[in-house]
Structures are given as structure tokens and as C-alpha cells.
Amino acid sequence: MRHNHGYRKLGRTSSHRKALLKNLAIALIEHKKIETGVFKAKELQSYIEKLVTIARVGDFNSHRFIFSYLQDKSATKKLIAEIAPGYADRKGGYTRIQRTRLRRGDASLMATIEFV
């Protein structure tokens, strides 16, 4: 049973799920808005908001921590230099999820996730 479990498995192994969230986070940082499934967006929201909170500090340790999660130099630099300073006075809620449509092929709920 899944009573009050901490995260969604998304039908993937742990390594596949980790790679999926990493790639979605990099895409969100580069494009500032992406469309994906609702449950992937909800998982990505908690993943990226933790990174933004740490990136607000902007020191060497936050660079290392964020790079360990993303494994992408340009996304790490963009998150720390461009995105995180805009949220310096905000205590959370850096992203917004809006449900958009039903996907035509399988009628899955789609949503856009973007930085506020």
C-alpha cells in the first residue's frame, strides 16, 4: 500500500526516474516553461524548488550540490546566475503548474510547468 508515501514512482526504476527528473529539470531551466504529464510535473516541481532554494545562496557549495543533481554546467550556471536571484525575497513557490489538455494518443492529462 502507498499510504502517505514520499514520492511518485512514475512506473520507472529509481535510476530511470532520477534521469527523467534530471532531464526535465534541465529542460525547464533552459526554456523556463515545458509541457509534460501532470504527475511528472508535480514530481518535477518539488525537485526543482529544492534546487532553486539552494541556488539562492550562490556560493561554491551550492554550485557543487546543484551540479551533482543536474550534471549540466550550462543549466547549473543559468540557474544560479539568472533564475535564482529573481527569487531572493521569495520563500518558496517558484514554479506554477497549469493543466492544459488531454493528450490525443492516450488521453493523458497534460500540464505546463513554468517559473513564476
Side-chain angles (χ1 to χ4, degrees):
M1 283 187 223
R2 199 197 166 276
H3 295 289
N4 207 14
H5 187 50
Y7 57 90
R8 295 169 185 83
K9 290 189 177 180
L10 302 173
R12 290 161 170 81
T13 61
S14 60
S15 59
H16 189 183
R17 187 169 49 250
K18 184 178 176 182
L20 171 78
L21 289 173
K22 177 180 74 166
N23 289 328
L24 284 173
I26 291 169
L28 181 62
I29 290 167
E30 288 177 358
H31 301 291
K32 295 201 172 61
K33 181 178 183 178
I34 57 172
E35 185 178 31
T36 184
V38 171
F39 299 110
K40 287 180 192 174
K42 287 182 178 183
E43 277 302 301
L44 177 62
Q45 187 173 32
S46 66
Y47 186 86
I48 199 75
E49 291 204 3
K50 290 172 187 170
L51 293 180
V52 173
T53 301
I54 291 166
R56 285 175 28 190
V57 178
D59 62 351
F60 180 67
N61 287 330
S62 62
H63 272 269
R64 292 183 69 179
F65 183 85
I66 291 168
F67 183 75
S68 73
Y69 271 73
L70 296 179
Q71 294 294 311
D72 188 84
K73 286 184 182 180
S74 63
T76 302
K77 285 181 183 178
K78 186 170 183 177
L79 180 63
I80 292 174
E82 297 175 21
I83 295 172
Y87 301 114
D89 57 342
R90 196 173 177 105
K91 297 203 183 303
Y94 313 116
T95 56
R96 169 188 308 133
I97 296 176
Q98 293 178 332
R99 293 173 188 233
T100 55
R101 63 187 174 98
L102 294 175
R103 188 163 50 202
R104 186 170 179 185
D106 59 355
S108 178
L109 286 170
M110 299 298 284
T112 58
I113 181 168
E114 61 186 340
F115 285 108
V116 177

